[in-house]
Amino acid sequence: FTGQPVLIGGSMGTCSYVLVGTDKGMTDTFGSTCHGAGRALSRNRSRNHLQYQDVLQRLSDQGISIRVASPKLVMEEAPESYKDVTQVVDTCAAAGISNKVVKLRPIGVIKG
């Protein structure tokens, strides 16, 4: 149905969005829209090029708490490992396939 809400997750250090579908989206994309920003770096490249403590410090500087089972996950899911979710969401909105409802700010991350 048109107007169904969808959560578009950002990374653990960036915003997320709630969008709703449009009639144009139903016609042009069978009711589909983006489902996230998409990776900018592979998991392997993230692990090899990012430093655990640097990522933790950047998140802390933004006021974001993190609890993680493995340091490897911190680098793999670091904000810089992903494309800019705002640009992706803005592109979907500009194409008329979904509308922004609310922008969410992260306050905590749990990775298991």
Side-chain angles (χ1 to χ4, degrees), residues 5-10 17-21 29 31-38 84-93 95 97-100:
V6 59
L7 178 64
I8 308 300
Y17 288 87
V18 176
L19 308 179
V20 293
T29 68
S32 181
T33 191
C34 63
H35 61 273
D84 183 341
V85 70
T86 299
Q87 287 181 337
V88 173
V89 166
D90 286 347
T91 299
C92 292
I97 61 173
S98 52
N99 292 322
K100 291 186 268 187

Side-chain angles (χ1 to χ4, degrees), residues 61-96:
D61 291 348
Q62 294 178 54
I64 300 170
S65 298
I66 182 167
R67 299 294 177 261
V68 65
S70 166
K72 173 175 83 170
L73 291 173
V74 172
M75 282 87 72
E76 288 179 358
E77 300 299 322
E80 51 269 50
S81 296
Y82 288 87
K83 297 175 188 170
D84 183 341
V85 70
T86 299
Q87 287 181 337
V88 173
V89 166
D90 286 347
T91 299
C92 292

Side-chain angles (χ1 to χ4, degrees), residues 2-112:
T2 299
Q4 292 296 306
V6 59
L7 178 64
I8 308 300
S11 72
M12 61 186 175
T14 61
C15 61
S16 295
Y17 288 87
V18 176
L19 308 179
V20 293
T22 64
D23 290 332
K24 180 174 175 37
M26 287 299 288
T27 302
D28 293 356
T29 68
F30 303 102
S32 181
T33 191
C34 63
H35 61 273
R39 294 196 70 87
L41 299 175
S42 70
R43 292 180 188 283
N44 187 51
R45 186 165 176 87
S46 294
R47 280 192 308 271
N48 293 329
H49 288 85
L50 301 175
Q51 298 298 313
Y52 174 70
Q53 291 298 331
D54 293 343
V55 175
L56 290 183
Q57 186 60 53
R58 282 193 297 277
L59 292 172
S60 178
D61 291 348
Q62 294 178 54
I64 300 170
S65 298
I66 182 167
R67 299 294 177 261
V68 65
S70 166
K72 173 175 83 170
L73 291 173
V74 172
M75 282 87 72
E76 288 179 358
E77 300 299 322
E80 51 269 50
S81 296
Y82 288 87
K83 297 175 188 170
D84 183 341
V85 70
T86 299
Q87 287 181 337
V88 173
V89 166
D90 286 347
T91 299
C92 292
I97 61 173
S98 52
N99 292 322
K100 291 186 268 187
V101 175
V102 67
K103 181 178 179 179
L104 307 167
R105 184 184 73 79
I107 58 172
V109 178
I110 300 172
K111 287 292 197 187

